[in-house]
Amino acid sequence: MEAHNSQPTVSLQYVDPQVDELLKHSIRTQLESLLKAKLTTGQRQLLLKKSFVDAMTLVLSNTQVEHLQLVNTFEAMYDQAVQSMALAQLSQEQLTRQYVSASGLIMSPHNCKHTIKDVYRIKGYARGIDLAIQSKLKHSPSITILYPACGPFAPLLLPLLSYYKDSNTFTSQQINVILVDVHPGAILSLQQLIKDLQLDDFILRIEAADATEYEPAESIDLLVLEAMQHGFTKEGQLSIAKHLVKFLNIDGWMIPQNVSVRGMMVIGETEFNQQWKEVEYSHSLNTNTSAQQDRVELGEILNINKSTLLNMQELELQDGVKVIPASKIKLPTGVKDMGERILAIYAHIDTFADEGVEQYDSGVTHPRPDMTFYIDAKPRDVEHTHFVASSGDMVQFYYQLSGLPGFVPVKL
Ligand SMILES: C[S@@+](CC[C@H](N)C(=O)[O-])C[C@H]1O[C@@H](n2cnc3c(N)ncnc32)[C@H](O)[C@@H]1O
């Protein structure tokens, strides 16, 4: 899911009003079909809960589940959740306003609503969160979970809580959740969805706040966060994690426990086109061996976990922009076609224990081509944003913490 045309400054942006009408139309259509079906509130809530429980039953199962079955089950969950969003009666602005804040893109609820269909991302997170909760509750009567930038559906937790409630696995005395989102439309939608799912007891608070500034009064056992886009760009994952990690208990865990952001030089046609010609859908299990062997890995550019976050040093540049020094990498030598290759940056997410989200499992781990980075080649039009280096050069990567977060390579 890509953002609309964002700018590197704090600015408000609105989607074209004509497009807005079309966007809103799709939600209205679903609401109308719901009304036509003449369901009572009770019947609708039952279907909603069932769809959430069904999705988690599949995801937590240890037997192999067909891709199509997963997709259809998640689609049913989406269809139900979107009805709660429709019933929350967001104004056009609350539904479609999208803007760039000081720490990254603030996506509109209209665009965010699709993340509940991101099957393998939710699977990797839900399985990890489930293990972490089980583990914490073995030693403690109750835990507090903080989930910042949760979006309109908080899809990494609400389905799991529905499952716990339905199966009597854990009670609301054991799990206290704080949900945080800065978008008023996301807050309204969350309130409606939680009411419809009858999960109020599990929710300690819903906070309308910027997660890079929010200070919880409680100490936190689990910090659940996914505010990233492919190539670790655009959204404020790092700024949010860096701020909130301070509120974790000494033995509190961040989920994901580790994010490894890596770089590679690839032939674009092989990596992004040929590799996927014969397969039904992109997923780490469906990658092609020869395309993988054709990659020239540069190694890890940034590693994000509780300990690296607590030790991260920020540098402030003259214009107030803050950067984090990331890895120093020696560009490989002896690669004949290096000049034809492009840089692609991808993330590998370890949510908890052995659970995770690997390359191509989700939009957020999909390698992102960077067309401004050149090795042994000259760009046709040299712009100041272009980085030009040679095989064997040492390159220092920085991560820029701004409205448009992303990597900045510098030649040493
Ligand atoms: C892509 S959506 C939801 C992602 C959600 N974590 C998930 O797993 O599906 C991103 C949401 O993060 C919120 N958000 C982004 N940056 C934020 C910040 N600094 N503070 C609070 N909310 C933020 C946006 O308002 C939006 O509702």
Side-chain angles (χ1 to χ4, degrees):
M1 184 172 39
E2 280 299 80
H4 292 259
N5 171 38
S6 40
Q7 292 168 6
T9 49
V10 180
S11 67
L12 305 184
Q13 289 172 41
Y14 295 87
V15 181
D16 182 308
Q18 283 175 335
V19 182
D20 279 359
E21 274 314 307
L22 286 175
L23 297 176
K24 208 169 177 194
H25 179 74
S26 65
I27 290 193
R28 197 175 298 124
T29 314
Q30 294 185 54
L31 188 58
E32 277 165 6
S33 71
L34 165 85
L35 293 176
K36 269 190 218 123
K38 290 202 174 63
L39 295 179
T40 65
T41 301
Q43 287 168 328
R44 181 181 60 81
Q45 289 174 341
L46 219 61
L47 285 176
L48 170 73
K49 281 188 251 177
K50 184 177 179 310
S51 71
F52 274 47
V53 173
D54 286 351
M56 288 302 107
T57 307
L58 286 189
V59 150
L60 297 177
S61 138
N62 283 327
T63 49
Q64 176 83 25
V65 181
E66 289 291 317
H67 174 70
L68 197 59
Q69 192 185 356
L70 276 170
V71 169
N72 290 339
T73 310
F74 273 68
E75 190 72 40
M77 177 161 72
Y78 167 82
D79 285 347
Q80 295 297 326
V82 121
Q83 290 175 12
S84 288
M85 183 185 263
L87 285 168
Q89 296 199 310
L90 274 58
S91 67
Q92 185 152 307
E93 182 175 331
Q94 286 164 340
L95 185 67
T96 58
R97 182 180 166 216
Q98 180 151 294
Y99 61 101
V100 174
S101 80
S103 57
L105 174 72
I106 307 295
M107 208 184 274
S108 71
H110 195 276
N111 284 339
C112 279
K113 69 188 196 301
H114 302 282
T115 68
I116 200 169
K117 288 191 280 190
D118 194 356
V119 175
Y120 295 102
R121 180 186 69 109
I122 295 188
K123 183 178 178 194
Y125 268 85
R127 288 180 67 91
I129 296 168
D130 177 50
L131 288 174
I133 291 177
Q134 286 184 39
S135 174
K136 284 275 169 216
L137 286 175
K138 269 193 199 133
H139 309 288
S140 179
S142 72
I143 55 167
T144 303
I145 306 178
L146 177 63
Y147 181 5
C150 62
F153 297 151
L156 305 179
L157 266 186
L158 294 187
L160 201 55
L161 295 178
S162 304
Y163 175 87
Y164 289 158
K165 185 170 175 172
D166 183 71
S167 56
N168 291 319
T169 316
F170 298 118
T171 65
S172 57
Q173 277 81 48
Q174 293 172 287
I175 300 177
N176 305 298
V177 177
I178 305 171
L179 299 172
V180 181
D181 202 290
V182 73
H183 201 298
I187 298 287
L188 286 174
S189 176
L190 270 175
Q191 286 166 338
Q192 179 71 40
L193 182 60
I194 289 163
K195 184 169 136 210
D196 285 339
L197 288 165
Q198 285 149 353
L199 287 175
D200 311 66
D201 288 356
F202 284 88
I203 310 298
L204 197 59
R205 281 196 304 283
I206 302 178
E207 296 274 3
D210 186 324
T212 60
E213 289 165 7
Y214 174 67
E215 303 202 350
E218 300 77 5
S219 75
I220 304 298
D221 298 290
L222 294 180
L223 168 61
V224 172
L225 177 60
E226 194 286 286
M228 52 193 270
Q229 292 203 359
H230 67 330
F232 212 64
T233 55
K234 286 193 186 149
E235 286 189 310
Q237 175 96 7
L238 190 60
S239 298
I240 298 172
K242 195 168 173 302
H243 169 66
L244 289 175
V245 74
K246 297 179 280 203
F247 299 93
L248 274 177
N249 289 336
I250 188 113
D251 55 356
W253 293 320
M254 195 174 102
I255 296 184
Q257 280 199 305
N258 199 70
V259 177
S260 172
V261 186
R262 301 166 190 180
M264 59 187 172
M265 299 301 295
V266 296
I267 300 292
E269 167 67 12
T270 310
E271 178 68 33
F272 296 112
N273 191 16
Q274 293 301 328
Q275 173 161 230
W276 306 105
K277 279 253 155 88
E278 313 268 296
V279 296
E280 228 180 291
Y281 59 99
S282 55
H283 188 277
S284 54
L285 295 175
N286 290 342
T287 53
N288 172 285
T289 314
S290 78
Q292 296 287 305
Q293 283 167 352
D294 189 62
R295 292 171 164 190
V296 177
E297 295 283 350
L298 296 183
E300 185 172 77
I301 303 179
L302 187 62
N303 184 232
I304 301 131
N305 57 46
K306 188 178 174 185
S307 133
T308 60
L309 283 166
L310 288 170
N311 291 312
M312 229 166 231
Q313 299 302 325
E314 260 179 33
L315 298 177
E316 190 163 337
L317 307 181
Q318 272 169 358
D319 50 3
V321 173
K322 293 188 176 136
V323 296
I324 304 269
S327 299
K328 256 190 216 117
I329 287 176
K330 186 173 191 309
L331 299 178
T333 50
V335 180
K336 273 205 262 50
D337 58 359
M338 190 58 113
E340 289 155 41
R341 290 174 178 266
I342 53 170
L343 172 68
I345 294 180
Y346 65 105
H348 176 95
I349 303 176
D350 290 313
T351 54
F352 188 79
D354 290 337
E355 302 299 336
V357 190
E358 292 184 39
Q359 55 164 329
Y360 289 113
D361 289 353
S362 154
V364 302
T365 53
H366 201 287
R368 179 178 192 268
D370 179 338
M371 306 307 283
T372 66
F373 187 95
Y374 294 84
I375 308 181
D376 299 342
K378 286 232 157 27
R380 258 185 229 133
D381 307 308
V382 182
E383 291 179 27
H384 74 284
T385 49
H386 286 156
F387 174 80
V388 184
S390 308
S391 292
D393 283 351
M394 280 299 285
V395 177
Q396 166 77 58
F397 283 87
Y398 291 90
Y399 192 72
Q400 178 179 327
L401 299 170
S402 65
L404 258 189
F407 290 99
V408 181
V410 174
K411 221 166 21 170
L412 289 179

PDB file of all heavy atoms in Angstrom, residues 84-97:
ATOM      1  N   SER A  84     -17.885  -2.100  10.691  1.00  0.00           N
ATOM      2  CA  SER A  84     -17.775  -1.325  11.930  1.00  0.00           C
ATOM      3  C   SER A  84     -17.254   0.073  11.604  1.00  0.00           C
ATOM      4  O   SER A  84     -17.713   1.063  12.166  1.00  0.00           O
ATOM      5  CB  SER A  84     -16.828  -2.001  12.921  1.00  0.00           C
ATOM      6  OG  SER A  84     -17.432  -3.146  13.443  1.00  0.00           O
ATOM      7  N   MET A  85     -16.285   0.131  10.684  1.00  0.00           N
ATOM      8  CA  MET A  85     -15.752   1.444  10.302  1.00  0.00           C
ATOM      9  C   MET A  85     -16.864   2.302   9.685  1.00  0.00           C
ATOM     10  O   MET A  85     -16.993   3.488   9.991  1.00  0.00           O
ATOM     11  CB  MET A  85     -14.597   1.285   9.313  1.00  0.00           C
ATOM     12  CG  MET A  85     -13.953   2.606   8.935  1.00  0.00           C
ATOM     13  SD  MET A  85     -12.696   2.437   7.667  1.00  0.00           S
ATOM     14  CE  MET A  85     -11.231   2.374   8.638  1.00  0.00           C
ATOM     15  N   ALA A  86     -17.662   1.681   8.854  1.00  0.00           N
ATOM     16  CA  ALA A  86     -18.760   2.421   8.232  1.00  0.00           C
ATOM     17  C   ALA A  86     -19.738   2.923   9.296  1.00  0.00           C
ATOM     18  O   ALA A  86     -20.213   4.052   9.237  1.00  0.00           O
ATOM     19  CB  ALA A  86     -19.468   1.544   7.205  1.00  0.00           C
ATOM     20  N   LEU A  87     -20.010   2.079  10.271  1.00  0.00           N
ATOM     21  CA  LEU A  87     -20.951   2.473  11.326  1.00  0.00           C
ATOM     22  C   LEU A  87     -20.381   3.559  12.235  1.00  0.00           C
ATOM     23  O   LEU A  87     -21.127   4.248  12.926  1.00  0.00           O
ATOM     24  CB  LEU A  87     -21.347   1.250  12.162  1.00  0.00           C
ATOM     25  CG  LEU A  87     -22.319   0.323  11.441  1.00  0.00           C
ATOM     26  CD1 LEU A  87     -22.445  -0.996  12.181  1.00  0.00           C
ATOM     27  CD2 LEU A  87     -23.691   0.980  11.296  1.00  0.00           C
ATOM     28  N   ALA A  88     -19.066   3.705  12.252  1.00  0.00           N
ATOM     29  CA  ALA A  88     -18.448   4.761  13.076  1.00  0.00           C
ATOM     30  C   ALA A  88     -18.702   6.143  12.459  1.00  0.00           C
ATOM     31  O   ALA A  88     -18.411   7.161  13.089  1.00  0.00           O
ATOM     32  CB  ALA A  88     -16.954   4.505  13.235  1.00  0.00           C
ATOM     33  N   GLN A  89     -19.223   6.158  11.232  1.00  0.00           N
ATOM     34  CA  GLN A  89     -19.640   7.393  10.557  1.00  0.00           C
ATOM     35  C   GLN A  89     -18.574   8.478  10.573  1.00  0.00           C
ATOM     36  O   GLN A  89     -18.811   9.603  11.047  1.00  0.00           O
ATOM     37  CB  GLN A  89     -20.919   7.916  11.195  1.00  0.00           C
ATOM     38  CG  GLN A  89     -22.056   6.933  11.000  1.00  0.00           C
ATOM     39  CD  GLN A  89     -23.400   7.566  11.197  1.00  0.00           C
ATOM     40  OE1 GLN A  89     -23.622   8.226  12.198  1.00  0.00           O
ATOM     41  NE2 GLN A  89     -24.306   7.366  10.260  1.00  0.00           N
ATOM     42  N   LEU A  90     -17.417   8.139  10.066  1.00  0.00           N
ATOM     43  CA  LEU A  90     -16.348   9.122   9.947  1.00  0.00           C
ATOM     44  C   LEU A  90     -16.731  10.174   8.913  1.00  0.00           C
ATOM     45  O   LEU A  90     -17.349   9.835   7.895  1.00  0.00           O
ATOM     46  CB  LEU A  90     -15.056   8.429   9.487  1.00  0.00           C
ATOM     47  CG  LEU A  90     -14.164   7.803  10.547  1.00  0.00           C
ATOM     48  CD1 LEU A  90     -14.879   6.764  11.376  1.00  0.00           C
ATOM     49  CD2 LEU A  90     -12.937   7.181   9.894  1.00  0.00           C
ATOM     50  N   SER A  91     -16.340  11.415   9.172  1.00  0.00           N
ATOM     51  CA  SER A  91     -16.566  12.434   8.151  1.00  0.00           C
ATOM     52  C   SER A  91     -15.579  12.151   7.014  1.00  0.00           C
ATOM     53  O   SER A  91     -14.634  11.370   7.183  1.00  0.00           O
ATOM     54  CB  SER A  91     -16.292  13.824   8.723  1.00  0.00           C
ATOM     55  OG  SER A  91     -14.917  13.936   9.014  1.00  0.00           O
ATOM     56  N   GLN A  92     -15.805  12.812   5.899  1.00  0.00           N
ATOM     57  CA  GLN A  92     -14.925  12.582   4.754  1.00  0.00           C
ATOM     58  C   GLN A  92     -13.464  12.867   5.139  1.00  0.00           C
ATOM     59  O   GLN A  92     -12.558  12.132   4.770  1.00  0.00           O
ATOM     60  CB  GLN A  92     -15.365  13.507   3.629  1.00  0.00           C
ATOM     61  CG  GLN A  92     -14.610  13.278   2.361  1.00  0.00           C
ATOM     62  CD  GLN A  92     -15.454  13.667   1.182  1.00  0.00           C
ATOM     63  OE1 GLN A  92     -16.578  13.201   1.040  1.00  0.00           O
ATOM     64  NE2 GLN A  92     -14.928  14.552   0.367  1.00  0.00           N
ATOM     65  N   GLU A  93     -13.264  13.924   5.909  1.00  0.00           N
ATOM     66  CA  GLU A  93     -11.894  14.284   6.290  1.00  0.00           C
ATOM     67  C   GLU A  93     -11.303  13.230   7.242  1.00  0.00           C
ATOM     68  O   GLU A  93     -10.153  12.832   7.104  1.00  0.00           O
ATOM     69  CB  GLU A  93     -11.872  15.660   6.951  1.00  0.00           C
ATOM     70  CG  GLU A  93     -10.451  16.048   7.300  1.00  0.00           C
ATOM     71  CD  GLU A  93     -10.309  17.445   7.856  1.00  0.00           C
ATOM     72  OE1 GLU A  93     -11.122  18.307   7.496  1.00  0.00           O
ATOM     73  OE2 GLU A  93      -9.375  17.642   8.642  1.00  0.00           O
ATOM     74  N   GLN A  94     -12.121  12.777   8.170  1.00  0.00           N
ATOM     75  CA  GLN A  94     -11.623  11.760   9.119  1.00  0.00           C
ATOM     76  C   GLN A  94     -11.280  10.453   8.396  1.00  0.00           C
ATOM     77  O   GLN A  94     -10.401   9.720   8.810  1.00  0.00           O
ATOM     78  CB  GLN A  94     -12.679  11.473  10.192  1.00  0.00           C
ATOM     79  CG  GLN A  94     -12.806  12.591  11.213  1.00  0.00           C
ATOM     80  CD  GLN A  94     -14.100  12.486  12.013  1.00  0.00           C
ATOM     81  OE1 GLN A  94     -15.054  11.830  11.598  1.00  0.00           O
ATOM     82  NE2 GLN A  94     -14.123  13.137  13.155  1.00  0.00           N
ATOM     83  N   LEU A  95     -11.976  10.206   7.313  1.00  0.00           N
ATOM     84  CA  LEU A  95     -11.753   8.968   6.570  1.00  0.00           C
ATOM     85  C   LEU A  95     -10.541   9.042   5.637  1.00  0.00           C
ATOM     86  O   LEU A  95      -9.783   8.084   5.502  1.00  0.00           O
ATOM     87  CB  LEU A  95     -12.996   8.649   5.741  1.00  0.00           C
ATOM     88  CG  LEU A  95     -13.012   7.330   4.987  1.00  0.00           C
ATOM     89  CD1 LEU A  95     -13.064   6.155   5.953  1.00  0.00           C
ATOM     90  CD2 LEU A  95     -14.192   7.280   4.035  1.00  0.00           C
ATOM     91  N   THR A  96     -10.346  10.207   5.025  1.00  0.00           N
ATOM     92  CA  THR A  96      -9.362  10.235   3.928  1.00  0.00           C
ATOM     93  C   THR A  96      -8.175  11.163   4.157  1.00  0.00           C
ATOM     94  O   THR A  96      -7.265  11.195   3.344  1.00  0.00           O
ATOM     95  CB  THR A  96     -10.033  10.652   2.601  1.00  0.00           C
ATOM     96  OG1 THR A  96     -10.628  11.925   2.809  1.00  0.00           O
ATOM     97  CG2 THR A  96     -11.064   9.663   2.154  1.00  0.00           C
ATOM     98  N   ARG A  97      -8.139  11.903   5.240  1.00  0.00           N
ATOM     99  CA  ARG A  97      -7.024  12.819   5.434  1.00  0.00           C
ATOM    100  C   ARG A  97      -5.734  12.033   5.694  1.00  0.00           C
ATOM    101  O   ARG A  97      -5.690  11.157   6.540  1.00  0.00           O
ATOM    102  CB  ARG A  97      -7.291  13.740   6.619  1.00  0.00           C
ATOM    103  CG  ARG A  97      -6.171  14.729   6.808  1.00  0.00           C
ATOM    104  CD  ARG A  97      -6.413  15.649   7.977  1.00  0.00           C
ATOM    105  NE  ARG A  97      -5.177  16.316   8.295  1.00  0.00           N
ATOM    106  CZ  ARG A  97      -4.782  16.611   9.515  1.00  0.00           C
ATOM    107  NH1 ARG A  97      -5.546  16.305  10.535  1.00  0.00           N
ATOM    108  NH2 ARG A  97      -3.637  17.206   9.716  1.00  0.00           N
TER     109      ARG A  97
END
